[in-house]
Amino acid sequence: MSAAVAVEDLAFTYPGEHHSVFDGLDITIESGERVALLGPNGSGKTTLALHLNGLLRAQRGEIVIGGLVLDDDTLAQIRRQVGLVFQDPNDQLFMHRVRDDVAFGPTNLGLDTVEIARRVEQALHDVGAAGLAEQAPHHLSGGERRRAAVASVLSMNPEVLVLDEPTSGIDPLGRHELAELLTSLPQTQLVVTHDLPFAHATCARSLVLDQGKIALDLETKTLLNDPDLLARHRLALPFGYRS
Ligand SMILES: Nc1ncnc2c1ncn2[C@@H]1O[C@H](COP(=O)(O)OP(=O)(O)O)[C@@H](O)[C@H]1O
Ligand SMILES: [Mg+2]
């Protein structure tokens, strides 16, 4: 069986920049795995997330999703298969009601109204946000907004979820609820974060991005218990945290 996500020899430099973000990045994630992608600011986490559903295109190498190589012909299909939850929920939620945001993707797929309604109910139920359907996204708390953003991606029935800094802007209880939500979902997940306790709560495996390469690929608990390793990759636990 093909890996859920394979990044093979990816190279990418932003237009007009001298330094490449990646120059030969390789990652493999098996189906059903939840993997944390850790790394300091500027290490390329968001750039990678944007490649996984084709919002940025590889300048060399390949992105392969469920055995399908991302190219012009497969782009639309891969966009459906890989749900990207943006760092800022305001980039994802732009309608007047949560229900309409969650319906947006399925509506664009041209599904019939019965199927759209079914998917919206299911996605809102799966994220524990059925009661938020009629609310305006900008009236929600950070945690509620994040769950609504996840629902707006789940309604596309993706096989892979990529979440970019999902804990930013949410309080400790919301963070706890989000960890429970992610661990309850069946999708293969890449959780981009610099929140190490959150990575520990959601992902058994961690990848550490440093200088455009995967510097470490290890059990999250091993990383958390190794202060030297954390320091070497510019990662730090919150004050007072004990794993
Ligand atoms: N739109 C852009 N144009 C030029 N450089 C960018 C752009 N977005 C990010 N970068 C640069 O690419 C590198 C990786 O950024 P990013 O993927 O956002 O890192 P992270 O998400 O890990 O903080 C950084 O050096 C950043 O300054
Ligand atoms: Mg980022």
Side-chain angles (χ1 to χ4, degrees), residues 121-224:
E121 299 316 315
Q122 183 72 48
L124 287 170
H125 172 268
D126 287 349
V127 304
L132 304 177
E134 309 307 323
Q135 304 257 354
H138 60 275
H139 286 160
L140 303 179
S141 72
E144 290 170 339
R145 211 173 302 184
R146 185 70 58 182
R147 279 187 282 143
V150 174
S152 76
V153 164
L154 286 182
S155 63
M156 299 289 281
N157 285 351
E159 277 135 48
V160 177
L161 282 180
V162 178
L163 301 112
D164 195 355
E165 305 276 3
T167 61
S168 64
I170 68 178
D171 64 21
L173 180 61
R175 221 164 131 261
H176 188 78
E177 289 172 349
L178 184 66
E180 285 192 345
L181 165 61
L182 297 188
T183 53
S184 77
L185 296 174
Q187 277 85 6
T188 305
Q189 293 173 41
L190 184 67
V191 181
V192 172
T193 187
H194 47 219
D195 183 336
L196 291 163
F198 189 76
H200 186 46
T202 53
C203 300
R205 178 182 167 206
S206 284
L207 304 174
V208 176
L209 200 53
D210 202 352
Q211 316 273 355
K213 298 265 187 216
I214 298 301
L216 297 173
D217 179 349
L218 75 181
E219 281 194 49
T220 308
K221 65 170 186 281
T222 305
L223 177 65
L224 263 66

Side-chain angles (χ1 to χ4, degrees), residues 94-138:
F94 44 83
M95 307 291 275
H96 295 297
R97 292 184 310 172
V98 168
R99 170 187 302 287
D100 300 325
D101 273 314
V102 180
F104 187 82
T107 303
N108 275 351
L109 288 182
L111 300 175
D112 65 64
T113 51
V114 174
E115 175 63 8
I116 294 170
R118 196 193 63 75
R119 289 205 187 187
V120 169
E121 299 316 315
Q122 183 72 48
L124 287 170
H125 172 268
D126 287 349
V127 304
L132 304 177
E134 309 307 323
Q135 304 257 354
H138 60 275

Side-chain angles (χ1 to χ4, degrees), residues 13-14 43 74 80 117 120 143 149 158 161 235-236:
T13 305
Y14 280 101
S43 57
T74 60
R80 288 197 293 277
V120 169
L161 282 180
L235 297 167

